[in-house]
Amino acid sequence: FAAVDLPWIPPELRENAGEIEAAENGALPDLVTEDAIRGDLHVHTNRSDGHDRLDRMARAARDRGHAYLAITDHTQSLTVAQGQGPGRLKEQMAQIDAWNDRHADDGFRLLKGAEVDILKDGSLDLPDESLAALDIAVCSVHGHFDLTRRKQTERILRAMDHPACTVIGHPTGRMIQSREPYAVDLDRLIAEAAEHGVALEVNAQPERLDLDDSHVRAAVQAGARLAIGTDAHAVPMLDYMRFGVGQARRGWAEAKDVINCWPLADLLAFAER
């Protein structure tokens, strides 16, 4: 790089996609790092389809240096994953309150969350009373993948309009080498996410990595916020965060673009939109 009078360019940016010009102009991004992550906003326990108890997931996240962790088990329509209805969710929120009370001096907080199914018509899979009690709602499509591009887009946009929606989970639904993304107008989703103050997930599961890097960059350029989530279903999967960070770096994302790099107060203010 010195031989051609350029600053060092991070490997993730070496795609001949404008990074040389950015380097020449002193405009390279200060890419997000794993050390900048303050918490994980997409984690499952054995109350839905996870393998570990809430307490074990919480301790593991705290031991990894996180300041907060959102417990986001599935909701009632996803019966194959033992999704929770309002009653079971209320019980879990009481457990989270009790855990926080017992660990008030740890400098770590569990957040009340759910991975809320986006139903076929775009409505959310919990009553408004339950949604209002959550700190974080990751709203995701888990079925009806065969809708037309227009209907799928309108479905997700309707979910985004709900004031409880914090994050759109794995926004294209792709499973690498096993399921193609569903048809959706991502440019429109990105624009609406930026306007409505909804984050788009960079799902760190190796078989998802959804958003992909090109759409991460489009989101950054549009001013939309991102959330890097492990979608962990067991303690070892919390370490998948590095894959999500790597994907975000390939999309030119900085820590300021990623809501779970923010202090807890700022994160909760964003969720209260």
Side-chain angles (χ1 to χ4, degrees), residues 21 31 62 69 120 122 124 130 136 140 193 205 219 235-236 258 266 270 272:
E21 293 80 5
L31 296 179
R62 184 190 61 188
L69 177 74
K120 184 177 181 181
L124 299 183
S130 298
I136 299 290
S140 304
Q205 287 282 330
V235 163
V258 180
D266 293 345
F270 177 86
E272 283 290 328

Side-chain angles (χ1 to χ4, degrees), residues 255-267:
K256 63 182 176 61
D257 302 311
V258 180
I259 64 172
N260 50 311
C261 290
W262 299 355
L264 179 59
D266 293 345
L267 170 68

Side-chain angles (χ1 to χ4, degrees), residues 14-249:
R14 298 173 195 169
E15 298 277 355
N16 192 25
E19 71 278 5
I20 294 174
E21 293 80 5
E24 289 173 335
N25 295 322
L28 286 172
D30 182 13
L31 296 179
V32 62
T33 65
E34 195 171 355
D35 287 344
I37 299 292
R38 295 175 185 251
D40 196 336
L41 303 182
H42 190 167
V43 166
H44 298 274
T45 75
N46 63 352
R47 283 184 71 90
S48 62
D49 59 344
H51 299 288
D52 289 312
R53 300 187 313 274
L54 179 150
D55 180 73
R56 187 153 186 255
M57 295 299 287
R59 290 177 182 275
R62 184 190 61 188
D63 292 347
R64 283 162 170 77
H66 288 338
Y68 47 81
L69 177 74
I71 300 296
T72 56
D73 281 313
H74 288 289
T75 54
Q76 55 196 351
S77 288
L78 206 62
T79 54
V80 69
Q82 302 182 75
Q84 299 188 115
R88 290 183 65 218
L89 179 61
K90 188 174 182 179
E91 292 173 1
Q92 186 178 63
M93 289 193 287
Q95 291 176 358
I96 289 170
D97 283 336
W99 199 96
N100 284 329
D101 287 344
R102 291 195 304 273
H103 300 87
D105 298 328
D106 287 1
F108 174 87
R109 181 168 162 188
L110 274 185
L111 302 178
K112 300 171 186 174
E115 186 176 12
V116 183
D117 253 36
I118 300 175
L119 303 181
K120 184 177 181 181
D121 66 354
S123 59
L124 299 183
D125 187 32
L126 285 172
D128 285 348
E129 181 182 4
S130 298
L131 291 167
L134 297 173
D135 296 314
I136 299 290
V138 177
C139 301
S140 304
V141 168
H142 288 113
H144 301 290
F145 300 127
D146 58 349
L147 295 181
T148 66
R149 186 170 188 261
R150 181 183 64 81
K151 288 184 177 179
Q152 198 73 269
T153 302
E154 294 295 337
R155 172 192 190 183
I156 299 173
L157 290 177
R158 182 182 175 193
M160 257 189 222
D161 281 339
H162 196 290
C165 179
T166 316
V167 179
I168 296 295
H170 39 74
T172 76
R174 77 167 182 175
M175 301 290 284
I176 297 171
Q177 295 186 333
S178 64
R179 186 173 72 208
E180 291 296 313
Y182 44 70
V184 65
D185 185 344
L186 268 170
D187 290 339
R188 192 171 171 201
L189 291 189
I190 288 168
E192 293 291 329
E195 182 175 341
H196 285 74
V198 173
L200 299 173
E201 185 179 53
V202 182
N203 189 291
Q205 287 282 330
E207 67 272 21
R208 287 191 183 272
L209 297 178
D210 180 12
L211 295 171
D212 69 18
D213 57 335
S214 64
H215 291 118
V216 168
R217 188 170 180 187
V220 169
Q221 290 172 336
R225 300 306 189 184
L226 304 168
I228 304 174
T230 62
D231 199 355
H233 286 65
V235 163
M237 293 184 187
L238 292 171
D239 293 330
Y240 287 171
M241 184 62 73
R242 65 190 178 96
F243 300 128
V245 170
Q247 186 81 326
R249 286 172 63 88

